[in-house]
Amino acid sequence: PAQAPGSPSEIGIEAWPETEEHEGFCETMRRRARELCGSNSVEYTSMPVDDAGESVVRKPGTWMLVSGVALAATAGLLFGYDIGSTSAVMRKHSNGDAASSTVTGEFGLDDRERSMGTSASLIGAVTGSLVLWLMGDALGRRKELVLAGAFYAMGSGFSVAAGEDGFSAVLTGRAVYGLGVAFAMHAAPMYIAEVSPAEHRGKLVATKEAAIVLGMVLGFLVAYRFQDTSHGWRFVWAMPIFPAFALCLGFVLMPPSPRWLRLRSFLYPGTHSKDEAMEALRCYRAQANEVQLEMELAEIDRALLPTLSLSPDGPGLWSSSRPFVPRSVSCWRNLMAMLDPVSYTHLRAHETPEHLVCRLLLEKKKKKTVTKK
């Protein structure tokens, strides 16, 4: 068949990823359903049905999915809690406050030191973001959230355990807490999006944003409760230790993201396999049957394969021709986000956002060429 305008072959990339028309895809699903169900009577229309005639649609998930989303939202809540509580405990001491109820009052901080205490967690977050830029894809969403919980707990512990002359320990603790913010905010939205059914993905990802706002409110309320208590700021910053341990332990017990496992099985076949991705998907879709699981895994493959074939260097995370440019799925998503949102309306049939990026960049290049002529 003729190459579509803007296909990778026109810009030096070897192969345009294989796509299937709707009928071809349905035929593939019919054949796979017969293999799984041992029946020749399974037929799919535009809405797939199983051999009992019931619609084959993904159900909202199970306690594993709900628990995973709740734990990921907790990571956002602890970020919001830091915003609300820090602004309260770092305020200037007033006559109505207990002498040691705030960090400023207990350590006698000047304006410069107050600024350092307020921004310490941000410095840790920036540092953590740079680390994740290099190794985030290799760690995976689950491990990142385990580390986020550990950093949250350690940062709070260091801050609370600071001695009377230990403001430097407070700064260290807030910086470590900031590392937890970076790991949590990098992994939580991706984890929720990757484990959620497509029909509920938007609502579930939004729970993390709602949790951040709820955390801010809780930070203010807890600080208000301890504003007249001696060493009240220690109680305020000790509160995240308990949910942080729950976050860390919870994700130790959770299976990895099926989409991340499938991506790694493409990039590095020796480390993970398709069977691992299917097993993880089965944990998050305990109510689904094998046909539904196969369909969803096929959808994941169809979403990942075009992205993986956009480089002439073959599978791998880094391009040999551009050694400092990571070639991960998130890179193409971020590039898509930088384009005009209206560009999404230009998606053609069976065209993924990654294909659209190539086509739009090619069209832009052609326009520049015409302008120069």
Side-chain angles (χ1 to χ4, degrees):
Q3 292 286 342
S7 63
S9 62
E10 296 185 25
I11 55 176
I13 297 178
E14 294 178 357
W16 182 260
E18 181 182 356
T19 59
E20 298 179 50
E21 297 294 337
H22 176 70
E23 292 301 325
F25 178 68
C26 288
E27 178 60 33
T28 302
M29 289 295 101
R30 278 196 293 270
R31 184 171 62 254
R32 185 57 181 149
R34 292 190 188 102
E35 295 173 0
L36 292 169
C37 301
S39 171
N40 292 324
S41 61
V42 178
E43 292 294 333
Y44 287 156
T45 59
S46 58
M47 176 60 72
V49 295
D50 60 17
D51 54 352
E54 298 180 355
S55 175
V56 178
V57 293
R58 288 188 300 274
K59 297 179 181 179
T62 61
W63 69 270
M64 182 74 74
L65 173 61
V66 174
S67 300
V69 172
L71 286 170
T74 301
L77 183 141
L78 293 177
F79 173 39
Y81 185 87
D82 177 62
I83 297 173
S85 62
T86 299
S87 62
V89 301
M90 294 301 299
R91 72 185 188 279
K92 288 186 176 181
H93 176 69
S94 62
N95 294 331
D97 295 332
S100 59
S101 63
T102 65
V103 178
T104 304
E106 179 158 339
F107 294 102
L109 306 181
D110 55 27
D111 290 341
R112 182 182 63 85
E113 291 171 327
R114 285 181 60 242
S115 299
M116 292 172 58
T118 304
S119 60
S121 61
L122 300 179
I123 295 173
V126 170
T127 304
S129 298
L130 293 175
V131 171
L132 291 171
W133 182 78
L134 296 173
M135 56 185 299
D137 281 343
L139 282 175
R141 329 306 179 210
R142 182 176 68 98
K143 289 181 180 178
E144 283 186 51
L145 288 166
V146 170
L147 290 173
F151 285 134
Y152 277 145
M154 288 190 296
S156 297
F158 288 156
S159 300
V160 172
E164 294 183 359
D165 299 323
F167 180 61
S168 59
V170 174
L171 293 179
T172 301
R174 301 326 294 165
V176 172
Y177 195 98
L179 291 175
V181 170
F183 277 71
M185 293 303 99
H186 182 264
M190 288 194 294
Y191 171 83
I192 296 175
E194 290 179 357
V195 303
S196 301
E199 59 270 23
H200 300 286
R201 189 167 296 146
K203 290 182 292 185
L204 294 178
V205 171
T207 59
K208 189 267 300 181
E209 306 300 329
I212 293 175
V213 178
L214 177 61
M216 294 180 190
V217 176
L218 290 176
F220 284 120
L221 291 177
V222 174
Y224 176 77
R225 167 63 181 81
F226 290 101
Q227 66 176 343
D228 297 326
T229 304
S230 179
H231 304 289
W233 67 272
R234 297 180 187 269
F235 291 99
V236 174
W237 275 349
M239 291 296 178
I241 295 177
F242 305 103
F245 273 123
L247 173 65
C248 185
L249 180 61
F251 274 107
V252 167
L253 302 176
M254 284 286 171
S257 158
R259 185 175 293 262
W260 179 80
L261 286 172
R262 193 67 181 117
L263 173 63
R264 301 297 288 183
S265 71
F266 281 125
L267 295 175
Y268 306 105
T271 58
H272 297 284
S273 66
K274 181 178 180 179
D275 291 339
E276 291 181 73
M278 175 59 79
E279 188 60 33
L281 186 61
R282 190 175 286 113
C283 292
Y284 290 108
R285 304 286 188 275
Q287 298 180 20
N289 58 39
E290 289 300 315
V291 176
Q292 295 168 333
L293 294 173
E294 288 285 346
M295 289 180 64
E296 184 161 358
L297 192 62
E299 291 175 4
I300 292 174
D301 290 350
R302 287 164 61 86
L304 292 179
L305 284 172
T307 303
L308 295 170
S309 58
L310 282 174
S311 172
D313 301 313
L317 183 61
W318 299 90
S319 170
S320 59
S321 58
R322 295 166 297 163
F324 298 103
V325 181
R327 198 176 62 217
S328 64
V329 174
S330 57
C331 290
W332 286 103
R333 299 296 180 187
N334 293 339
L335 178 57
M336 197 66 217
M338 291 187 289
L339 298 175
D340 188 341
V342 178
S343 299
Y344 276 100
T345 63
H346 301 310
L347 280 171
R348 298 173 179 172
H350 307 292
E351 186 177 46
T352 67
E354 289 81 11
H355 297 164
L356 177 59
V357 170
C358 282
R359 181 164 59 80
L360 292 178
L361 291 177
L362 179 65
E363 291 174 358
K364 185 177 180 180
K365 181 178 179 181
K366 288 181 178 179
K367 287 180 181 179
K368 287 184 177 179
T369 304
V370 172
T371 303
K372 289 180 179 180
K373 290 182 179 179

